[in-house]
Amino acid sequence: MWLLRIAWRNFCYRSLSSVLTTISLALGVALVVMVLAVFGIVTEAFSRNAQVGYNLVVGPKGSALQLTLNSVYYLSQPIENLPYTEYMEYFDAETRAEMVRKYGGDPALGERDGVYVPMIGGGYAIPLALGDYLGDFRVVGTTPDFFEKLRHGPTLEEPFVMREGRALVSHSEQYGYFEAVLGSRVAGQLNLSVGDQFSSTHGDPEGKGHGKKFTVVGVLAPTGTPNDRAAFVNMEGFYLQENHAKPLTGQETIVPPSEAPEDPDGFMPLSIPEREVTSILVRTGMPMMGVVLENQVNESLRSQAAAPVGEIAKLMNAIIGPLLTALLVITLITCVVAAVGVLVAIYNSMNDRRRDIAVMRALGARRGTVTGVILLESFLVAVIGATTGWFLAHASIWAFSGLIEDRTGVQVGILTTSAYEWYIFPLVLILAALAGILPAASAYRTDVGTNLAA
């Protein structure tokens, strides 16, 4: 214990040098902890959002990762579009016939079950239409099933809750086909609420604005998912915007709709040949049928199916994992530099301490005792620096915990730790031991007679 007391007195005697060295080490440790924490938050956010409740995302042939990022996270650009008839392949003959009566199209479409119906039983297929923006946020055309059937949260059992208003419907007497529901971040950043109207832009945030306006009927409560930063609109209204209808070739068989609701503004829904979908969110009735459906869709000519969980795992392994490694190497180098600072600070003080060491030796202290004092001083700097850096990093993360939870859905507290974080302390102690060896060796070789006579 008295060796530790002597080491502490040495630390306090050279307080300026000791504090500056400790701060540099603390900053290095804080950087490492924050990199690990950020990686943990990013990993959990991507992993949680990949657990979306549906087995597959179906879209045009192309990159499966791009399809996942576009349809699940509303990132990247859509690959292409699929004919609406591809979406109809997930429904039985009765539902398909109802679609023909409602929208207009070839009656033959309603005379058979969809190809994928046997694998869907008890599940669902929800269409998405993308391509427009509201400011910097994606506009997502979809159906009321999106809010009725999808679930979120850790157990995928939480329904969507409206902070304001209600979910959109296929058609209303008040707003016709032009209803919208905003994610919490969209509403907050654009200062929109229930009853407000907006026009989306085509193709990109700076694109041409559409003339037909949507009315906000609901604002989602924060979910911690990408849905917080999307504006959802009735797909029928999305189709009725300029340049959203697929041009007809003149060879299509179209029977006019017989069940389309009357619209207050006189709008009629697009016919089936004029419709396209960007992607389809699919949940099979039995989980094991997901693999069967994925294989069958991928063997088709137009569509591909991607499992969000698998694609995000590939993304983590291919991009985010190596990025973490690079950041960790950089921050660990910072710690090594700080350890070198400890070495230099203690070693440079040895000339001033040779007489003190000689006095200790003359009073009976062994060489090992003197060496131990120097090593303990190095360990003191390491322990104080590592502890300070750890608390500094976690205090910073805790200060932004509200923002992190709003944007990622990940809850973090001041004591929330990552998997590899506890390896930092042994590593810092090893660096401290290495940094203390050279000054300790110098103290070990100190000549008592020469330095007492000096």
Side-chain angles (χ1 to χ4, degrees), residues 37-47 316 320:
V38 169
F39 175 74
I41 291 169
V42 171
T43 302
E44 185 175 347
F46 268 99
S47 300
M316 300 296 292
I320 298 179

Side-chain angles (χ1 to χ4, degrees), residues 217-286:
V217 297
V219 176
L220 284 171
T223 63
T225 70
N227 296 318
D228 291 342
R229 48 183 173 80
F232 301 93
V233 301
N234 182 4
M235 180 171 277
E236 301 305 321
F238 185 92
Y239 284 142
L240 291 171
Q241 299 287 354
E242 297 89 338
N243 301 317
H244 281 190
K246 180 182 178 181
L248 298 177
T249 63
Q251 300 179 351
E252 299 87 356
T253 301
I254 303 177
V255 174
S258 59
E259 297 182 3
E262 295 184 6
D263 187 80
D265 297 314
F267 292 110
M268 290 292 292
L270 293 188
S271 65
I272 290 174
E274 296 175 283
R275 294 165 171 256
E276 292 180 308
V277 297
T278 304
S279 56
I280 309 165
L281 311 179
V282 179
R283 178 183 178 88
T284 56
M286 299 177 62

Side-chain angles (χ1 to χ4, degrees), residues 155-447:
T155 60
L156 298 177
E157 295 179 353
E158 298 178 25
F160 288 107
V161 176
M162 295 294 155
R163 189 178 69 195
E164 298 179 52
R166 59 171 174 81
L168 58 83
V169 295
S170 298
H171 185 273
S172 70
E173 293 184 2
Q174 187 174 8
Y175 304 117
Y177 296 112
F178 297 94
E179 293 189 344
V181 170
L182 303 182
S184 57
R185 283 184 59 193
V186 180
Q189 293 191 25
L190 300 183
N191 196 28
L192 293 172
S193 59
V194 172
D196 292 338
Q197 293 185 322
F198 67 85
S199 296
S200 57
T201 57
H202 187 69
D204 62 70
E206 304 300 325
K208 178 183 177 182
H210 290 299
K212 301 181 182 68
K213 292 186 176 182
F214 289 94
T215 300
V216 179
V217 297
V219 176
L220 284 171
T223 63
T225 70
N227 296 318
D228 291 342
R229 48 183 173 80
F232 301 93
V233 301
N234 182 4
M235 180 171 277
E236 301 305 321
F238 185 92
Y239 284 142
L240 291 171
Q241 299 287 354
E242 297 89 338
N243 301 317
H244 281 190
K246 180 182 178 181
L248 298 177
T249 63
Q251 300 179 351
E252 299 87 356
T253 301
I254 303 177
V255 174
S258 59
E259 297 182 3
E262 295 184 6
D263 187 80
D265 297 314
F267 292 110
M268 290 292 292
L270 293 188
S271 65
I272 290 174
E274 296 175 283
R275 294 165 171 256
E276 292 180 308
V277 297
T278 304
S279 56
I280 309 165
L281 311 179
V282 179
R283 178 183 178 88
T284 56
M286 299 177 62
M288 67 182 66
M289 298 304 294
V291 176
V292 178
L293 178 59
E294 182 178 8
N295 292 334
Q296 188 169 344
V297 171
N298 287 334
E299 290 172 359
S300 67
L301 297 177
R302 290 175 172 168
S303 305
Q304 68 166 334
V309 175
E311 294 305 318
I312 293 306
K314 293 177 185 177
L315 174 66
M316 300 296 292
N317 293 332
I319 299 177
I320 298 179
L323 180 61
L324 169 70
T325 302
L327 289 173
L328 275 178
V329 169
I330 294 172
T331 51
L332 286 173
I333 289 174
T334 305
C335 287
V336 171
V337 171
V340 171
V342 175
L343 184 154
V344 172
I346 297 177
Y347 189 79
N348 285 342
S349 69
M350 293 306 298
N351 287 331
D352 299 330
R353 298 161 66 178
R354 291 186 185 280
R355 183 176 176 79
D356 296 337
I357 293 172
V359 170
M360 288 178 62
R361 292 288 312 284
L363 292 175
R366 299 179 180 179
R367 291 177 182 267
T369 301
V370 175
T371 302
V373 170
I374 302 301
L375 286 174
L376 276 176
E377 190 174 339
S378 179
F379 281 128
L380 270 176
V381 173
V383 171
I384 295 173
T387 305
T388 303
W390 188 89
F391 276 107
L392 178 64
H394 280 272
S396 301
I397 295 168
W398 177 74
F400 291 96
S401 60
L403 181 63
I404 292 170
E405 184 174 358
D406 287 343
R407 300 208 170 189
T408 67
V410 179
Q411 295 180 342
V412 291
I414 195 167
L415 298 179
T416 302
T417 58
S418 57
Y420 301 101
E421 205 166 301
W422 296 111
Y423 292 107
I424 295 173
F425 289 94
L427 176 62
V428 171
L429 291 177
I430 291 171
L431 289 175
L434 294 175
I437 285 177
L438 188 59
S442 175
Y444 186 88
R445 294 195 302 268
T446 297
D447 184 82

Side-chain angles (χ1 to χ4, degrees), residues 5-56:
R5 196 158 40 235
I6 294 173
W8 175 249
R9 287 177 179 173
N10 288 339
F11 181 92
C12 296
Y13 181 74
R14 283 167 293 277
S15 57
L16 179 61
S17 173
S18 299
V19 168
L20 291 177
T21 305
T22 303
I23 288 175
S24 67
L25 183 60
L27 291 176
V29 170
L31 281 174
V32 175
V33 172
M34 291 187 74
V35 167
L36 288 172
V38 169
F39 175 74
I41 291 169
V42 171
T43 302
E44 185 175 347
F46 268 99
S47 300
R48 283 185 57 187
N49 293 330
Q51 302 285 344
V52 287
Y54 42 86
N55 307 61
L56 303 170

Side-chain angles (χ1 to χ4, degrees), residues 42-85:
V42 171
T43 302
E44 185 175 347
F46 268 99
S47 300
R48 283 185 57 187
N49 293 330
Q51 302 285 344
V52 287
Y54 42 86
N55 307 61
L56 303 170
V57 179
V58 176
K61 295 288 189 183
S63 167
L65 177 59
Q66 183 179 355
L67 175 62
T68 301
L69 292 176
N70 181 52
S71 302
V72 179
Y73 297 93
Y74 310 126
L75 303 172
S76 184
Q77 293 297 320
I79 301 172
E80 285 292 342
N81 289 321
L82 288 173
Y84 194 82
T85 50

